[in-house]
Amino acid sequence: MFACAPARPSDPHDPDKAPRSAPTARAHRPHSPPRRPRLAGADVSASIAVFLIALPLSLGIALATGAPLQAGLVAAAVGGLVAGRLGGSPLQVSGPAAGLTVVTADLIQRYGWRTTCAITVLAGCAQLALGCLRVARTALAVSPAVVHGMLAGIGVTIAVAQLHIVLGGSPQSSVLDNLRALPAQLAGLHPAAVAVSALTLALLLLWPRVPGRLGRLLRKVPAALVAVTGATAVAALAGLTLPKVDLPSWSSHALAGLPEGPVLGIVAAVLTTTLVCSVQSLLGAVAVDKMIASRQASTPVAKNGPGPLPSAPAPRVGRSDLDRELLGQGAANVVSGALGGLPVAGVAVRSSANVHAGAVSRNSTMLHGVLVVIAALLLVPVLELIPLASLAALVMAVGIQMVSLHHIRTVTRHREVLVYAVTTLGVVFLGVLEGVLLGIAVAVAVALHRLARTRITHAEVDGVHRIHVRGQLTFLAVPRLSRTLHLVPQGAHAVVELDGSFMDHAAFESLQDWHKTHTAQGGTADLSGRRAPAPPAECHCRPWTPWRNHQCASLMPPPHEAAGASGLGDGAAEAPQGEHRESGPGSGASEPRDSAADHAGTPTGAGNASTPTGAGNAGIPTGTGHTDDRTGTGHASAPAGTGPGAPGTTPPDTPAPPPSAHQLARGISAFQRNTAPRVRGELARLAREGQRPAQLFLTCADSRLVTSMITSSGPGDLFVVRNVGNLVPLPGAESGDDSVAAAIEYAVDVLNVRSITVCGHSGCGAMQALLNTEPGGVQTPLKRWLRHGRPSLERMADAGHAWARLAGRAPADAVEQLCLTNVVQQLDHLRAHDSVARALRTGALELHGMYFHVGEAQAYLLTEGVFDHVGTTDRPV
């Protein structure tokens, strides 16, 4: 049941890992025995690193518990060999853990060492039973605040107890006794013990901080080993008289005996040991999975070499099997207890060192156990040179680290600091089991309080009665909800805003009944929020979530309308079926939450600043425009670019699409219901203070370019000008365009924007039309507008100008080359405008070029004639 199947050389479900039938591959005879897997060099080096950490820590934890020092070595060896071989987390290293120190010390003091070993065996049997029942995942249901509080309480207890040994004394039985005895201990310091302990702590603190290349080399040796070795060497050279490690002969090592003591006390001890061992091991396995995933994500995929055989890919480590891990931990505790060892659990420090050292299989864990056995048998004379004060300082440092500031900040952010504090204090003053049970009780009480707590407020503003419900709406809040709703007079307009994630049936019916009655009596009511009742035919898209191929029936245009709605920005080759799309400002489903939280605390995509000519998210010059019916977002395009006869658009004889006003209304309704409550506060602030955009963003009217999405901006951040082809006409009465010029002048002179960005994109229909349209002929509005793009054509054809190019690859075709060249040319046109030229001379303005590849969802920024790829890390423009 526990046996691990040997790693298979290929995966039949992965074609890249399937066995190759190339002529160069060596064939085996049908009945030849399989080769034994070789020990990887990474596993050997990782096992040595873990062994060097485990050896001093195992002795220190045994010292802290009051157990025979050999017991720590037995537990470390058994944890590596048994749990490493049978456990479900290949890279987790098990052994005597600091989290079990308080429990084990209490058991030894109450029942003696041999009974404690028997309790360890019984706890292992309980873990085996739980593993067979496959309930390992249930342990993860415990609140993290309880787990972190338990570990913090254990850390405080360890640190206070070991402080006495650091000062040259001996610890008491409880935290209160240790605290009461501390003044007397400080009065009778042992100078040699304090000096050795201080040296140990100094090396622990400073060793990882050695700078430079030398520091990187030195840090390969674990700080714990350096600290203990340095303190031992100084104590030996100085001839200090100190208590040292005493390892009696293994022939006199005490093994487990029959448990002696009250039955209820033994049962409680078994349950406590089982709980702490299991929770710590399972949480450790989950943490190891995260570390492995992070390591694998940062490891480049191996490429095939020039030879006939591919180079070996980096080994992949599978996810942990928590039920098997619980079985492995149970088997290890049975063996460790039977052999007179400490309780075994997953150890975070050793597991982290194993992963970071590059281990690729469970062989590293098992080999570390073999090294511990060798050290316990052959290095006894060396180990007996270690001062106990140095080990105590090492364990005290581990205890202090268990009180994690990161965990405290996390539970505070999630408003669970009460649970954390109660658990920590309970463990410190009452015991581990009592503290954990107390913490669970407080966590349940806090959860019930949050579920039952509902704030309902009523306010009348300008004749509109606003009722705001904050919290979960359950039957407990129905009486208060009903009283508040009946404060709205008949015939009045009411807005009910629901700010919660749950509404039960009783609250739903109460709200629906009031709504029907109020509207029947001549009143009106709007229900908004994530859980507001909505008619069945409405769009049920949730706001601020990723949106892919929006298929909501209430917002989808008919097929023939969808095919021709994009006008010049169709770019059929650029929009493959199934590509990701994000909805715009007016949709019920908008951009991902991560881009919404970075600007002024409001979701993105709620609209951009407007110009005196209607340029906020509207194309300049204005014309008939079009509406993206799938998002409900109106982006007015440049002059009549989508009218009949324009190149790349619907032929004149095509039947007119049906009216889309109903679909537009549905989109607006979704915005009012889902999005408006989230942005109302920020938009109200902008309405009071006025717009202060930092940038003028000039881009194409293409419906696939959602400016707020690709720039992660929100309301008031960008002053947007959109037209067909992102063109900037040169100033002058003959060729100029007053709407674009007015927007530029307003942005620079009135709004004082600090930068202007011209953004082109792949598959631009205007550039296609510019390439394909012959001079002369009927001058349609589109042709007259595209004359402002002819300088870009001439620049691309002029051999005296270097072509704009993309970093890392050549342009895909002439259209993409023209798109890039057009961005550079329009920046030159910008410099010809008086307001822009003045601001550039004073250094108050910067100009930037940008190119967005739609199919790749990739942005490029113009730097010295080259459009550089923008990565996922922050990059100043």
Side-chain angles (χ1 to χ4, degrees), residues 542-554:
R542 294 292 178 238
W544 319 112
T545 54
W547 182 64
R548 176 177 178 176
N549 272 4
H550 199 142
Q551 296 297 324
C552 182
S554 65

Side-chain angles (χ1 to χ4, degrees), residues 675-857:
T675 308
R678 296 172 176 268
V679 300
R680 185 172 287 119
E682 175 65 11
L683 293 180
R685 183 189 67 81
L686 290 173
R688 293 191 305 269
E689 300 175 2
Q691 60 171 327
R692 300 174 188 173
Q695 299 183 44
L696 166 59
F697 197 84
L698 195 150
T699 188
C700 185
D702 192 295
S703 62
R704 296 165 297 178
L705 263 67
V706 183
T707 56
S708 57
M709 178 182 71
I710 64 177
T711 59
S712 296
S713 57
D717 289 340
L718 298 181
F719 187 78
V720 181
V721 175
R722 305 190 69 156
N723 60 52
V724 172
N726 48 275
L727 300 179
V728 180
L730 286 167
E734 189 69 27
S735 60
D737 180 272
D738 288 342
S739 60
V740 176
I744 294 172
E745 179 183 351
Y746 185 77
V748 175
D749 293 342
V750 179
L751 298 179
N752 296 316
V753 297
R754 296 188 296 274
S755 69
I756 301 178
T757 300
V758 177
C759 178
H761 68 96
S762 61
C764 180
M767 298 299 103
Q768 295 177 15
L770 197 59
L771 279 172
N772 299 330
T773 302
E774 297 293 336
V778 180
Q779 290 297 307
T780 63
L782 176 63
K783 288 186 177 182
R784 287 195 299 272
W785 171 251
L786 288 181
R787 75 184 187 275
H788 301 300
R790 287 175 190 160
S792 301
L793 266 179
E794 296 168 359
R795 186 189 191 101
M796 190 173 73
D798 187 359
H801 284 93
W803 277 13
R805 55 191 178 88
L806 292 170
R809 69 174 179 89
D813 51 25
V815 174
E816 186 169 50
Q817 180 62 66
L818 183 57
C819 293
L820 299 173
T821 305
N822 184 57
V823 171
V824 178
Q825 183 65 37
Q826 302 313 313
L827 289 173
D828 287 349
H829 288 186
L830 269 174
R831 296 184 183 95
H833 286 258
D834 291 339
S835 56
V836 174
R838 286 194 305 270
L840 288 175
R841 283 195 298 270
T842 61
L845 183 66
E846 296 178 349
L847 301 184
H848 304 293
M850 177 177 168
Y851 176 74
F852 186 76
H853 195 287
V854 177
E856 298 174 358

Side-chain angles (χ1 to χ4, degrees), residues 309-711:
L309 292 178
S311 59
R316 292 297 196 187
V317 182
R319 292 181 61 85
S320 297
D321 182 342
L322 296 186
D323 292 305
R324 177 177 171 178
E325 179 64 18
L326 195 55
L327 290 170
Q329 295 292 334
N333 274 312
V334 170
V335 175
S336 179
L339 296 179
L342 291 171
V344 171
V347 186
V349 176
R350 302 175 208 180
S351 302
S352 176
N354 194 34
V355 174
H356 293 152
V360 296
S361 72
R362 63 180 71 247
N363 292 333
S364 64
T365 304
M366 297 172 62
L367 185 55
H368 126 271
V370 172
L371 294 176
V372 171
V373 172
I374 295 173
L377 296 176
L378 302 180
L379 298 181
V380 172
V382 177
L383 298 178
E384 288 183 336
L385 296 175
I386 301 175
L388 296 182
S390 178
L391 293 179
L394 176 63
V395 176
M396 185 180 73
V398 173
I400 294 173
Q401 290 173 353
M402 293 174 70
V403 186
S404 171
L405 294 178
H406 170 70
H407 291 159
I408 295 175
R409 286 193 292 265
T410 300
V411 298
T412 302
R413 186 167 61 249
H414 291 281
R415 296 182 300 166
E416 292 183 334
V417 68
L418 178 63
V419 179
Y420 180 90
V422 168
T423 307
T424 301
L425 295 176
V427 170
V428 170
F429 294 108
L430 301 177
V432 175
L433 183 60
E434 293 84 353
V436 169
L437 293 177
L438 190 60
I440 292 175
V442 174
V444 171
V446 169
L448 292 176
H449 173 71
R450 290 176 178 173
L451 182 64
R453 183 188 181 192
T454 308
R455 293 181 58 187
I456 304 175
T457 59
H458 169 262
E460 182 180 358
V461 180
D462 297 332
V464 178
H465 292 262
R466 295 190 174 274
I467 299 173
H468 189 192
V469 181
R470 179 175 299 172
Q472 320 313 319
L473 197 53
T474 65
F475 65 95
L476 298 175
V478 167
R480 286 188 292 129
L481 176 65
S482 179
R483 285 195 299 270
T484 306
L485 291 174
H486 282 84
L487 295 177
V488 180
Q490 295 183 7
H493 177 60
V495 176
V496 181
E497 299 181 12
L498 304 180
D499 186 5
S501 59
F502 175 76
M503 178 194 301
D504 69 2
H505 186 66
F508 182 86
E509 282 197 348
S510 176
L511 195 58
Q512 283 286 74
D513 292 344
W514 171 82
H515 183 266
K516 292 178 181 178
T517 304
H518 185 70
T519 54
Q521 294 173 348
T524 57
D526 292 335
L527 306 180
S528 64
R530 284 178 290 178
R531 298 296 178 184
E538 291 289 341
C539 172
H540 295 285
C541 303
R542 294 292 178 238
W544 319 112
T545 54
W547 182 64
R548 176 177 178 176
N549 272 4
H550 199 142
Q551 296 297 324
C552 182
S554 65
L555 297 181
M556 281 292 291
H560 58 274
E561 184 176 354
S566 59
L568 283 171
D570 52 2
E574 291 291 336
Q577 189 86 18
E579 75 168 334
H580 283 272
R581 297 176 183 268
E582 297 288 342
S583 62
S587 173
S590 191
E591 296 158 24
R593 190 181 299 272
D594 58 355
S595 66
D598 295 336
H599 296 270
T602 60
T604 61
N608 293 313
S610 59
T611 73
T613 59
N617 258 0
I620 306 284
T622 58
T624 58
H626 78 274
T627 298
D628 185 353
D629 293 321
R630 286 165 291 184
T631 62
T633 306
H635 290 301
S637 63
T642 56
T649 58
T650 307
D653 56 348
T654 301
S660 58
H662 182 62
Q663 294 163 357
L664 178 62
R666 287 286 177 86
I668 297 173
S669 176
F671 166 79
Q672 292 298 144
R673 182 174 63 253
N674 297 322
T675 308
R678 296 172 176 268
V679 300
R680 185 172 287 119
E682 175 65 11
L683 293 180
R685 183 189 67 81
L686 290 173
R688 293 191 305 269
E689 300 175 2
Q691 60 171 327
R692 300 174 188 173
Q695 299 183 44
L696 166 59
F697 197 84
L698 195 150
T699 188
C700 185
D702 192 295
S703 62
R704 296 165 297 178
L705 263 67
V706 183
T707 56
S708 57
M709 178 182 71
I710 64 177
T711 59

